[in-house]
Amino acid sequence: MVIEATEEFSFMTVFFKMSVSIAFIRPFARVLVPFTLNRKRSVFCSLILQRYMSSKIPPVPCPNKESTSPEQLELDGWKITMKSSVQEGVSTVLSTQDEDPLVATRELIEMWRLLGREVPEHISDEELKTIMECVSKSSKKKYLKFLYVKEKMKKAKQIKKEMKAAAKEKAKEDQLLETKENKQQNFLFLRLWDRNMDIAMGWKGVQAMQFGQPLVFDMAYDNYMKPKELRNTVSQLLESEGQNRRDVDPFHIHFCNLKTDGPLYGELIKRYGEKWDKLLLTATEKSHIDLFPKDSIVYLTADSPNVMTTFKHDKIYIVGAFVDKNIQPGISLAKAKRLNLATECFPLDKYLQWDTGTKNLTLDQVIRILLCLKNNGSWEEALKFVPRRKHTGYLEIPQYSQEFVNRVKKSKIIKPFQKGSLNIYTQKR
Amino acid sequence: MTFCFTGIRSFPKLWKSNPYLGLGPGHSYNSLFLKDCYGIRNQQKLFSLQTASPQNTKAINLPIVKARYHRKGSGTISSEFPHLFAAGAAKKRSQMNPQSKDHVSPPVSNIIQLPTKPLNSEQWDKLKEDFKGKANFENWIISQMARHNSSVDVAKSLLAWVATKNNGIVSYNLLVKYLYLCVFHKQTSEVFDVYEIMKARYKSLESGANTLLIRGLIHSDRWREALVLLEDIKKVMTPSKKNYNDCIQGALLHQDVNIAWNLYEDLLSHDLIPMMETLKAFFDLGKHIKDDQYSNKLLDILLYLRNNQLYPGESFAHSIKTWFESVPGEQWKGQFTTIQKSGQCLGCGKTIESIHLSPEEYEFLKRKVLRDVIDGGDQYRKTTPQELKRFQNFVKYCPPFDIVIDGLNVAKMFPKVRESQVLLGVVSQLAKQNLHVLVLGRKHMLNSRARWKKDEMEEVQKLASCFFADNISEDDPFLLYATLHSGHHCKFITKDLLRDHKACLPDAKTQRLFFKWQQGHQLAITSRFPGSKITFQHILSYDTVVQTTGDSWHIPYDEDLVERYSYEVPTKWLCLHRKT
């Protein structure tokens, strides 16, 4: 390593010396650089020489005069056509329009698109206003990227739809030829599966409303969330409600602390539409501690020090309706602490070899796990709803035996150390 | 002549011997040079790593009885270990336990060799046939050319080829990349041409092209047009500090000082932090301007550095020095020095400003820590109101402490030794010096278990005051508050850099205040072996900040070859004083 370093130093000195004498070789520079070298090297060499020369001798209009060849003359031809051709985009420019920041922004985005940046092709005035309201440059870029991805997805969907329609049309034509020969058949049922399913699920839901185990979504986090997180929360709530509806033995879902003038309520109404009033769940402005006895409540939070061992059918589990994108730890634990409630977290570390990602699961994953546990599923069964990317697999040794192994290991290590360190102590005194 | 030849011949060697050059695209001669130095520096680091590692591994592998032989040596190790907040210390610490070597992926081999001289259409056509990739060939090749800084002529021949194929139209994307190459190679006339083309073709430009045009124009006589472009950018978004830097440099280059200062004011009014190059440019020009108003503005820049705790780089420090020495009639003398532990400048012997906060600042910080770090709008997040009350009463009725210990942090110092034993060792050594010690911990430390012996904890409680927080509460905020409450003389012991708590503070000013206080009050244990006498890292007694006493200036600066983390401070100073 020493040799290498000195070599480099010596190289540096050579380089400096060389630069002194470089004035002599300037005319030969091109010739000296061996063209047989591979591309990178030769580029690099000529680059340094070129730079050196251009910095040393300022009035050199063209650094490599010797390369003036007939084709050099053609090189500037394209400029004339470029200059003479008409402006792209809006040809007539009003000076008042130029002042308008909205128009300027639109033009900027258009130019960015030409540059191949991730910006949407079409943009509505409303979205443009949102962009103008973004505080920082990076937030603008983020929002533009969001719109870009959204537009792309929409386009892809549209294409898929058209392809499907075309395929359907074709299938229909084929079928038409066949059905002509088909005769009347005997069926037991009319094809009304979906409606029957809905009715059955409704029936089950009503039963759950009467006799089901309560499951509470605590909706008191709306002031901790940004609009985007709020929207995500509502999506997850919709997903979990759907999951619950389809289950054999659904929970009786409560939306507690749901303020009717809050943003969550507005978003839920918007997403559910007319169905909101016919949902088989309890939405209330009251808190969960007013509805249920305090000692039967268990607040589920990943920050909890207590690990859930079994699913208890007489407890009321509370899940915080909270998507936490900018990681503010301990908010739900603080809520439980304030009301003096019992807390629990899923035994993820006990059963899974955790890899990446937070231990916070989405609401629909939580409800799937709870439903599975409720229907007498084991933990292994239930925890298959944890995203596969977050863990590398199930642990083979249950935690208690592993703890035991650790303890044995530790005691073996510690014992000689205790002796040694005690020795030190006695010696010092 | 032959010598020169061999000199050039040895270029390829550089590629082979230095792995760093192969990795990134060698941007320019300058950056190549820097990278080269970087390579050398890294090798030095490897040396230090090698010399340090044997002791390190011994410390881990050897049983304690053997480690006793090293006890004498441990003192010297700790003294050469840089201060917790000294520039480069974190880098060194990370090298002490080399766990993950960041592996740099090898450069992607190009499918096509970039042409080194202009090609004609047939050659481009052929090259395009050879290209097999997803991307558009023209876009891809010009990006590669921009990355490897090909000569302008090659790029021009590409554009000419594209134009002939495409009815004389060259897309905006290609134009911008070409502009980049022109600006990079300082081909001003080409920049003008591209500027004309863009003006003719497009109604408005986006920020990237504007930035490039500004950079290209400032060196020419048409530099004032760069200011127009800057106004264009302002219409939609705030220009970057680089845009301002370029414009200011352009104005200074053409001796238009007023415009430069106006731009500087504008830059500050947008809450942008100016680039050090900008400030350096002002100082560099100052040598030629003998004007009181200009000098005062330069001194204002130094005060700006002071207020925002910014440190100039090495070359900037040189500029400052030459400017001061060029001021007529004042006879400044500058030298590069370091500061002694006692806080005296090695150059002039003057004492540097103390690290202690003023009483108002101290009160302010105390209030902020209580309000934002411990309370934080929701007392339940880090503790409970009951516990906070209990703690505040506890602190109130105890006399001020001399040292506050983060029990868990200290006890976990040596992973192979029982926690309570380490804690007792530290506490008893401190108690022997008649210091009033507070140990902060959590309640689980009291429950007798294998690692927390009950009798040892009782011993600790006899020697020191103790406060045990709930197991789910955070103990660091209590540590901060207890130390702040006890007063200036009180120090705290933890190896934690407390960055998460600093982040809880609302604004940069308070965070800087906190950092200053932390530098002056945090003791970090440097002992490497359990049982040895504990040694602390010395506390800085002086504040590392740009400062003046009227006839002297002391300016800390960053060395070019030292990587400084944001929570570290420079160790090198520029000392300027007037000859009397």
Side-chain angles (χ1 to χ4, degrees):
Chain A
M1 215 168 288
V2 182
I3 297 161
E4 227 177 72
T6 50
E7 207 176 59
E8 270 180 33
F9 274 120
S10 67
F11 163 70
M12 299 300 290
T13 53
V14 166
F15 182 72
F16 283 130
K17 274 180 200 162
M18 198 191 66
S19 61
V20 176
S21 53
I22 210 153
F24 295 107
I25 58 155
R26 191 158 52 90
F28 306 100
R30 281 264 148 184
V31 191
L32 280 176
V33 177
F35 282 107
T36 45
L37 293 176
N38 82 32
R39 180 198 46 79
K40 244 187 189 173
R41 288 178 195 165
S42 52
V43 165
F44 165 63
C45 292
S46 62
L47 199 129
I48 287 196
L49 288 173
Q50 210 178 351
R51 274 193 65 80
Y52 186 83
M53 287 186 291
S54 58
S55 63
K56 201 79 189 177
I57 315 137
V60 177
C62 184
N64 31 13
K65 258 183 182 168
E66 68 274 5
S67 68
T68 35
S69 53
E71 60 180 66
Q72 178 90 32
L73 297 173
E74 297 169 16
L75 289 183
D76 289 330
W78 56 277
K79 287 181 184 168
I80 301 151
T81 52
M82 285 292 283
K83 275 180 201 168
S84 60
S85 58
V86 220
Q87 276 197 347
E88 267 183 12
V90 196
S91 51
T92 50
V93 187
L94 296 170
S95 56
T96 46
Q97 250 187 354
D98 228 13
E99 301 297 306
D100 191 5
L102 275 178
V103 176
T105 315
R106 199 181 271 277
E107 276 165 11
L108 176 82
I109 292 166
E110 183 57 28
M111 293 314 274
W112 269 349
R113 204 175 63 78
L114 285 181
L115 207 57
R117 297 252 197 120
E118 289 170 325
V119 293
E121 203 176 329
H122 306 288
I123 198 160
S124 71
D125 281 341
E126 206 172 310
E127 287 163 341
L128 211 56
K129 262 186 199 124
T130 324
I131 293 168
M132 301 291 290
E133 280 161 16
C134 286
V135 200
S136 65
K137 240 184 262 183
S138 59
S139 62
K140 270 179 199 165
K141 278 181 195 162
K142 261 187 202 163
Y143 185 67
L144 279 171
K145 188 175 177 188
F146 165 72
L147 290 178
Y148 167 74
V149 172
K150 203 169 138 187
E151 193 174 58
K152 249 188 144 177
M153 302 260 268
K154 209 173 168 183
K155 236 182 237 166
K157 235 181 194 172
Q158 190 67 35
I159 290 169
K160 218 174 169 185
K161 208 174 165 186
E162 277 161 18
M163 273 167 66
K164 245 185 180 172
K168 217 177 181 181
E169 199 79 347
K170 209 178 162 229
K172 224 178 186 178
E173 271 173 29
D174 293 346
Q175 234 177 19
L176 272 178
L177 300 172
E178 286 173 26
T179 41
K180 271 175 189 168
E181 299 134 33
N182 264 359
K183 283 176 185 168
Q184 197 72 33
Q185 285 180 352
N186 284 323
F187 291 108
L188 186 54
F189 299 116
L190 281 175
R191 286 187 190 173
L192 297 169
W193 307 120
D194 283 355
R195 204 199 293 168
N196 285 334
M197 291 261 271
D198 280 347
I199 292 167
M201 283 194 283
W203 190 246
K204 241 176 356 188
V206 171
Q207 280 186 329
M209 287 283 277
Q210 287 175 308
F211 313 111
Q213 181 180 0
L215 179 76
V216 179
F217 284 102
D218 184 5
M219 311 292 238
Y221 296 94
D222 41 3
N223 47 348
Y224 293 103
M225 289 187 281
K226 297 202 180 92
K228 194 181 167 195
E229 294 167 328
L230 264 171
R231 263 176 277 130
N232 290 352
T233 308
V234 171
S235 300
Q236 291 182 15
L237 281 174
L238 257 64
E239 179 75 12
S240 359
E241 190 269 330
Q243 204 61 43
N244 184 56
R245 204 186 324 164
R246 259 161 268 159
D247 198 76
V248 191
D249 180 19
F251 283 110
H252 174 196
I253 291 183
H254 289 73
F255 286 169
C256 288
N257 295 321
L258 182 62
K259 292 172 222 81
T260 39
D261 52 349
L264 265 175
Y265 186 79
E267 190 71 24
L268 275 170
I269 294 247
K270 196 173 128 196
R271 296 289 283 275
Y272 268 114
E274 286 174 10
K275 236 196 134 219
W276 172 250
D277 291 323
K278 294 170 195 160
L279 276 184
L280 296 170
L281 51 78
T282 312
T284 168
E285 283 200 38
K286 280 194 213 154
S287 172
H288 37 87
I289 47 164
D290 301 330
L291 296 177
F292 306 106
K294 234 180 182 178
D295 48 351
S296 62
I297 291 178
V298 175
Y299 210 114
L300 291 176
T301 160
D303 295 321
S304 169
N306 313 317
V307 179
M308 183 170 172
T309 49
T310 48
F311 181 87
K312 298 186 191 72
H313 294 269
D314 55 341
K315 293 278 182 194
I316 292 129
Y317 289 97
I318 303 183
V319 184
F322 182 24
V323 173
D324 182 15
K325 281 249 164 92
N326 50 335
I327 317 293
Q328 322 162 48
I331 288 185
S332 52
L333 185 63
K335 275 217 150 55
K337 258 159 100 183
R338 188 194 325 267
L339 302 173
N340 209 1
L341 302 172
T343 57
E344 272 178 13
C345 65
F346 285 142
L348 300 174
D349 277 328
K350 191 171 160 186
Y351 290 94
L352 301 174
Q353 184 78 46
W354 202 259
D355 191 20
T356 51
T358 58
K359 304 258 164 85
N360 295 331
L361 302 175
T362 60
L363 301 179
D364 54 301
Q365 285 157 13
V366 169
I367 203 168
R368 274 173 217 211
I369 290 172
L370 287 176
L371 283 169
C372 187
L373 289 173
K374 188 167 169 234
N375 303 335
N376 286 327
S378 62
W379 276 109
E380 279 86 359
E381 187 86 357
L383 291 182
K384 71 170 190 273
F385 295 111
V386 176
R388 195 59 192 78
R389 64 171 189 282
K390 288 194 176 184
H391 63 93
T392 53
Y394 285 91
L395 280 175
E396 283 174 18
I397 319 163
Q399 192 72 17
Y400 61 90
S401 63
Q402 206 178 32
E403 246 171 37
F404 176 73
V405 170
N406 280 347
R407 210 176 296 152
V408 170
K409 267 189 199 162
K410 264 182 200 165
S411 61
K412 265 183 194 164
I413 297 167
I414 287 167
K415 263 179 192 161
F417 263 93
Q418 282 173 346
K419 257 186 208 165
S421 43
L422 273 178
N423 274 346
I424 288 177
Y425 259 78
T426 46
Q427 275 192 355
K428 256 168 67 185
R429 281 167 195 170
Chain B
M1 211 49 227
T2 46
F3 165 70
C4 299
F5 197 81
T6 51
I8 293 172
R9 274 288 187 168
S10 67
F11 266 120
K13 247 187 189 167
L14 184 72
W15 288 102
K16 272 180 194 163
S17 64
N18 196 335
Y20 284 90
L21 291 169
L23 294 178
H27 277 306
S28 65
Y29 168 69
N30 245 342
S31 74
L32 268 176
F33 188 79
L34 273 178
K35 273 183 185 170
D36 207 61
C37 295
Y38 191 77
I40 294 166
R41 186 185 58 157
N42 245 42
Q43 272 159 356
Q44 279 175 342
K45 267 186 205 153
L46 278 176
F47 287 137
S48 65
L49 186 71
Q50 278 185 339
T51 51
S53 56
Q55 279 161 339
N56 211 22
T57 45
K58 265 177 203 164
I60 297 161
N61 295 338
L62 288 182
I64 262 170
V65 190
K66 273 194 184 171
R68 259 185 294 147
Y69 294 112
H70 285 266
R71 234 165 45 189
K72 276 177 193 166
S74 72
T76 53
I77 291 172
S78 62
S79 68
E80 80 190 32
F81 200 77
H83 187 267
L84 198 62
F85 301 111
K91 190 92 189 163
K92 233 174 196 166
R93 274 200 297 274
S94 71
Q95 278 167 352
M96 293 304 281
N97 36 350
Q99 280 164 347
S100 60
K101 261 188 185 167
D102 42 332
H103 187 77
V104 190
S105 58
V108 186
S109 58
N110 294 322
I111 324 155
I112 289 180
Q113 296 216 329
L114 285 181
T116 51
K117 53 180 190 199
L119 305 180
N120 56 30
S121 312
E122 291 85 56
Q123 282 166 318
W124 278 119
D125 281 331
K126 198 182 164 302
L127 207 59
K128 187 175 180 179
E129 276 169 29
D130 293 343
F131 174 73
K132 288 182 206 75
K134 275 184 190 167
N136 182 339
F137 171 71
E138 292 85 19
N139 285 344
W140 180 83
I141 193 99
I142 199 144
S143 304
Q144 290 301 313
M145 275 158 49
R147 264 184 73 185
H148 295 277
N149 301 318
S150 304
S151 80
V152 171
D153 284 335
V154 181
K156 206 191 268 177
S157 78
L158 171 73
L159 292 202
W161 171 67
V162 171
T164 49
K165 272 206 326 182
N166 204 12
N167 301 332
I169 307 296
V170 177
S171 76
Y172 182 69
N173 185 10
L174 295 183
L175 266 184
V176 172
K177 293 266 166 56
Y178 176 65
L179 180 62
Y180 168 78
L181 278 174
C182 296
V183 172
F184 179 81
H185 291 293
K186 299 220 167 62
Q187 302 264 323
T188 316
S189 60
E190 280 301 310
V191 173
F192 287 156
D193 276 353
V194 178
Y195 183 32
E196 294 303 328
I197 289 170
M198 285 187 161
K199 259 206 289 196
R201 256 195 105 63
Y202 303 104
K203 197 172 69 165
S204 71
L205 301 177
E206 47 75 53
S207 48
N210 276 334
T211 304
L212 283 171
L213 281 174
I214 289 175
R215 185 157 306 162
L217 288 174
I218 51 164
H219 294 288
S220 67
D221 294 336
R222 293 166 65 178
W223 66 276
R224 276 173 199 278
E225 289 175 43
L227 302 181
V228 181
L229 289 172
L230 186 74
E231 289 302 316
D232 273 355
I233 298 181
K234 265 192 218 168
K235 267 183 216 159
V236 202
M237 52 167 68
T238 35
S240 69
K241 53 186 174 182
K242 273 189 187 147
N243 293 147
Y244 275 110
N245 175 47
D246 289 337
C247 287
I248 291 174
Q249 300 259 18
L252 290 178
L253 210 64
H254 297 88
Q255 308 281 332
D256 202 329
V257 179
N258 284 334
I259 288 186
W261 284 115
N262 286 342
L263 284 169
Y264 177 67
E265 298 282 319
D266 201 23
L267 163 71
L268 290 187
S269 71
H270 279 108
D271 274 338
L272 291 171
I273 293 172
M275 289 170 75
M276 285 296 165
E277 281 81 2
T278 319
L279 306 180
K280 182 178 181 294
F282 280 117
F283 274 90
D284 282 341
L285 188 73
K287 276 177 285 189
H288 311 297
I289 294 180
K290 307 293 169 231
D291 176 10
D292 271 354
Q293 212 185 345
Y294 195 89
S295 315
N296 284 337
K297 281 192 172 162
L298 289 186
L299 294 183
D300 279 346
I301 288 184
L302 288 181
L303 289 179
Y304 175 82
L305 292 181
R306 175 190 167 81
N307 292 334
N308 292 285
Q309 256 166 43
L310 298 170
Y311 306 110
E314 203 165 328
S315 58
F316 186 12
H318 279 282
S319 300
I320 295 174
K321 180 168 173 277
T322 29
W323 177 73
F324 267 104
E325 284 169 350
S326 75
V327 176
E330 294 196 358
Q331 286 200 316
W332 285 92
K333 174 95 179 55
Q335 52 187 328
F336 297 104
T337 60
T338 49
I339 306 295
Q340 283 175 311
K341 275 186 193 174
S342 56
Q344 267 157 349
C345 168
L346 271 178
C348 59
K350 280 210 176 80
T351 311
I352 300 298
E353 273 181 43
S354 159
I355 191 105
H356 283 305
L357 305 185
S358 71
E360 302 87 58
E361 285 173 333
Y362 197 86
E363 277 307 309
F364 177 77
L365 183 66
K366 196 167 139 184
R367 217 172 46 237
K368 284 278 179 187
V369 165
L370 184 62
R371 210 192 70 189
D372 294 317
V373 178
I374 302 179
D375 188 319
D378 185 357
Q379 292 185 344
Y380 286 93
R381 276 182 74 176
K382 292 194 171 153
T383 168
T384 57
Q386 297 85 359
E387 191 174 58
L388 192 60
K389 194 111 221 164
R390 184 164 72 91
F391 178 70
Q392 278 178 321
N393 279 334
F394 170 79
V395 174
K396 209 191 282 171
Y397 293 116
C398 281
F401 303 105
D402 299 315
I403 286 195
V404 181
I405 298 180
D406 183 350
L408 282 166
N409 187 291
V410 168
K412 304 241 179 225
M413 203 164 35
F414 309 115
K416 295 202 171 170
V417 187
R418 203 179 333 116
E419 274 94 343
S420 58
Q421 188 186 338
V422 178
L423 185 61
L424 180 61
V426 172
V427 170
S428 60
Q429 281 191 42
L430 289 171
K432 264 185 220 155
Q433 301 169 35
N434 274 333
L435 293 170
H436 191 194
V437 182
L438 168 66
V439 176
L440 285 168
R442 297 215 180 97
K443 279 182 177 150
H444 71 77
M445 292 158 71
L446 290 175
N447 303 340
S448 181
R449 257 186 285 151
R451 311 226 72 187
W452 296 97
K453 279 271 160 66
K454 202 161 203 170
D455 49 338
E456 279 169 340
M457 285 313 288
E458 274 165 9
E459 191 77 7
V460 168
Q461 276 169 299
K462 259 181 232 162
L463 292 171
S465 316
C466 294
F467 182 85
F468 296 101
D470 288 338
N471 291 341
I472 51 170
S473 298
E474 285 192 37
D475 51 356
D476 289 344
F478 292 127
L479 173 88
L480 296 178
Y481 185 73
T483 317
L484 277 166
H485 187 85
S486 297
H488 273 303
H489 69 285
C490 183
K491 310 273 193 288
F492 62 97
I493 301 181
T494 178
K495 262 192 176 173
D496 198 328
L497 291 165
L498 303 172
R499 283 170 290 184
D500 47 342
H501 304 294
K502 191 163 76 176
C504 290
L505 293 167
D507 54 299
K509 192 173 155 265
T510 323
Q511 285 182 4
R512 282 199 292 269
L513 215 57
F514 179 85
F515 182 52
K516 188 175 167 184
W517 173 79
Q518 188 191 359
Q519 283 179 64
H521 291 85
Q522 179 164 12
L523 290 166
I525 295 181
T526 52
S527 315
R528 297 279 182 78
F529 309 107
S532 64
K533 188 174 174 1
I534 51 163
T535 47
F536 296 110
Q537 201 139 60
H538 69 276
I539 283 190
L540 288 177
S541 58
Y542 56 89
D543 189 15
T544 309
V545 72
V546 177
Q547 50 196 278
T548 179
T549 58
D551 59 349
S552 81
W553 278 91
H554 283 93
I555 300 165
Y557 67 92
D558 281 323
E559 287 168 288
D560 284 342
L561 297 183
V562 174
E563 192 184 344
R564 183 172 64 83
Y565 287 9
S566 60
Y567 54 88
E568 296 171 342
V569 292
T571 52
K572 292 281 188 289
W573 291 70
L574 166 62
C575 162
L576 291 155
H577 53 98
R578 242 185 245 182
K579 266 189 224 157
T580 44

